Amino acid sequence: MARSVSVIVPSVGNADELGIALDGLLVQTYFGPLEVVVVGPSGDPGRQQAESRGVRFISDAGSRTRADACNVALDSTESDLVFFTDDDVIVPKDWVERLARWFERPEVAGVGGPNFAPPESSTIQQQIIDVSFCSQIFTAGTNYGKRGESELQEVEQLPGVNSSYRRSVLKEIGGFPEGSIGAEDVLLDYLIRSAGHRLWTDRSAVMWHRR
């Protein structure tokens, strides 16, 4: 039986791009139970974008950081697997399917993939960001844009815009560190690895990120 999936999309003040992200998430090829949820301020315009598409909107309860908002959404969902992305992405229709398949392997606590600016519509500035994100010199060793060298490769960190985890592992470590401002994905993955779990990247599971 396919594992159930919740895709959590934190969003603040970016309703138009959020709508594009949700349209991609609503046509996923994944054949298992799949719920998409948006978490943000209760009065945010993104609420209308979500609810008009039948997507559940979760109030962030006054959260001041992305980490705290994601924790609110974690407490409000019950799926086997939890996926995270942002509100400024173009989602390939097989994104969930590509990542979810790896959880058949017991050693996979979390898996993600690279993210790049859309090649057809990216600016020079966005292309420069892509180059920078592929270099550990500029990212302090993180894995935002680098493709793995094999189909599935072990890594130390997953990009928050393109990541998935076993809910049991997130519960074990208590979710995102409360109040984290920036680099919350790095802190989360550090806790996961410190607890003895392993993270991986799928070079084919690209997320198009408008940055």
Side-chain angles (χ1 to χ4, degrees):
M1 180 177 179
R3 292 173 171 82
S4 57
V5 170
S6 292
V7 180
I8 294 175
V9 187
S11 182
V12 180
N14 195 28
D16 290 342
E17 288 193 317
L18 172 64
I20 295 171
L22 294 179
D23 288 342
L25 289 169
L26 292 174
V27 294
Q28 291 293 297
T29 57
Y30 185 63
F31 59 86
L34 172 62
E35 179 187 30
V36 179
V37 300
V38 175
V39 57
S42 58
D44 193 90
R47 181 172 201 144
Q48 182 177 0
Q49 291 278 21
E51 293 179 347
S52 68
R53 293 168 168 80
V55 171
R56 181 156 67 111
F57 183 92
I58 299 171
S59 171
D60 65 8
S63 299
R64 300 186 63 182
T65 70
R66 183 181 189 274
D68 293 342
C70 286
N71 282 338
V72 170
L74 278 171
D75 290 340
S76 302
T77 54
E78 299 181 347
S79 58
D80 301 319
L81 307 177
V82 182
F83 285 53
F84 295 98
T85 192
D86 287 346
D87 61 4
D88 57 349
V89 296
I90 299 172
V91 187
K93 65 181 181 180
D94 59 352
W95 176 61
V96 171
E97 181 181 359
R98 282 186 180 275
L99 293 183
R101 60 182 171 149
W102 296 116
F103 289 98
E104 296 296 326
R105 301 189 182 190
E107 70 271 22
V108 174
V111 60
N115 68 100
F116 301 110
E120 298 85 4
S121 57
S122 58
T123 65
I124 292 297
Q125 182 182 13
Q126 289 169 326
Q127 293 173 32
I128 291 171
I129 292 172
D130 275 352
V131 173
S132 299
F133 276 4
C134 288
S135 170
Q136 292 188 350
I137 296 174
F138 297 103
T139 62
T142 56
N143 184 46
Y144 292 118
K146 182 179 179 180
R147 287 184 185 267
E149 296 177 0
S150 57
E151 185 179 24
L152 188 68
Q153 180 176 330
E154 189 168 6
V155 293
E156 295 184 356
Q157 186 267 332
L158 305 177
V161 71
N162 188 357
S163 58
S164 61
Y165 303 90
R166 296 185 192 274
R167 181 178 294 274
S168 59
V169 172
L170 295 177
K171 283 186 175 181
E172 178 184 339
I173 63 158
F176 290 89
E178 184 177 354
S180 300
I181 300 177
E184 71 282 343
D185 47 2
V186 178
L187 295 173
L188 179 75
D189 292 341
Y190 172 78
L191 293 175
I192 290 173
R193 294 179 63 251
S194 295
H197 300 292
R198 301 168 70 184
L199 302 172
W200 306 78
T201 187
D202 177 348
R203 61 177 287 116
S204 71
V206 176
M207 178 65 75
W208 302 113
H209 191 190
R210 290 192 296 276
R211 312 207 186 283

